[in-house]
Amino acid sequence: MEDARTDPELLAAIAGGDREAFAELYRRHLPWLLVRLGRRCSSPELVDEVVQDTFVAVWRSAGRWDRRGEVAAWIWGIGIRRLVDALRRGRPPADELIEFPGVETSAEEHVLLGVQYGDLGAALASLSPELRAVVQATVLDGLTTREAARLLGIPPGTVKTRMMRARAQLRERLT
């Protein structure tokens, strides 16, 4: 039976050690987190590791959620930072995408796949994980500088600086 509590209510219960609340939050957010991280890293092993690390962090830090924004955005912020950290440790992503049974690929994702495997995809792949994360958050996810900063856990000025560096490197590689 599905838990009727809202995500903020579940987080409050998790902060108090409620395992059932954690299980419900996990059930609600695991599918989309797997898909989104899988679109940024094609290594199923690395995505699984990052998802596990993300939910361990959710369990440990549920009481530190500041109640600003959506719980899903907070979870995504943890997940993308864990992915960037894992990529920074030097585990290169594989070449193919993860397929998810029962998940239909949208027209937007088809376009993004073209970007990933075309000249732009090669140029994006050559960026450092930090620069690539900023490009993905601002360009591909359509977040504002402030939203990207919150998501990535860095100051807005750093987002702007990294985006300027990424643009310069992409321009150089694509001309």
Side-chain angles (χ1 to χ4, degrees):
M1 187 168 109
E2 189 173 313
D3 194 317
R5 291 179 283 184
T6 65
D7 286 350
E9 291 169 337
L10 289 173
L11 267 184
I14 292 166
D18 185 337
R19 291 179 185 269
E20 290 300 317
F22 180 74
E24 177 62 25
L25 193 77
Y26 181 84
R27 277 190 293 275
R28 285 182 192 177
H29 295 281
L30 175 66
W32 68 260
L33 186 61
L34 278 171
V35 170
R36 286 190 77 184
L37 290 172
R39 296 292 184 227
R40 284 158 179 74
C41 174
S42 59
S43 168
E45 297 83 17
L46 186 56
V47 169
D48 287 345
E49 177 186 320
V50 167
V51 167
Q52 180 178 349
D53 289 349
T54 299
F55 281 104
V56 167
V58 167
W59 173 258
R60 290 181 177 160
S61 62
R64 287 182 265 166
W65 179 59
D66 63 8
R67 298 196 161 286
R68 289 186 303 159
E70 296 292 320
V71 170
W74 180 70
I75 293 171
W76 174 245
I78 294 169
I80 195 66
R81 283 191 303 274
R82 294 291 191 273
L83 181 60
V84 168
D85 289 345
L87 292 171
R88 190 180 297 137
R89 286 191 303 265
R91 290 186 59 186
D95 292 17
E96 69 272 353
L97 287 175
I98 299 171
E99 292 297 322
F100 297 97
V103 176
E104 188 88 16
T105 305
S106 69
E108 178 185 52
E109 289 170 326
H110 282 288
V111 170
L112 292 176
L113 290 176
V115 168
Q116 182 170 358
Y117 291 107
D119 291 340
L120 182 56
L124 283 171
S126 71
L127 295 175
S128 69
E130 294 87 359
L131 297 181
R132 190 169 46 249
V134 168
V135 171
Q136 287 174 332
T138 58
V139 177
L140 301 180
D141 288 344
L143 300 177
T144 66
T145 298
R146 184 175 296 164
E147 291 168 335
R150 187 177 312 142
L151 174 73
L152 299 172
I154 57 177
T158 303
V159 171
K160 291 177 183 178
T161 301
R162 288 182 183 176
M163 194 60 202
M164 285 181 358
R165 287 178 40 213
R167 280 189 193 114
Q169 288 180 22
L170 289 171
R171 193 175 306 117
E172 183 180 304
R173 287 179 176 99
L174 292 170
T175 55

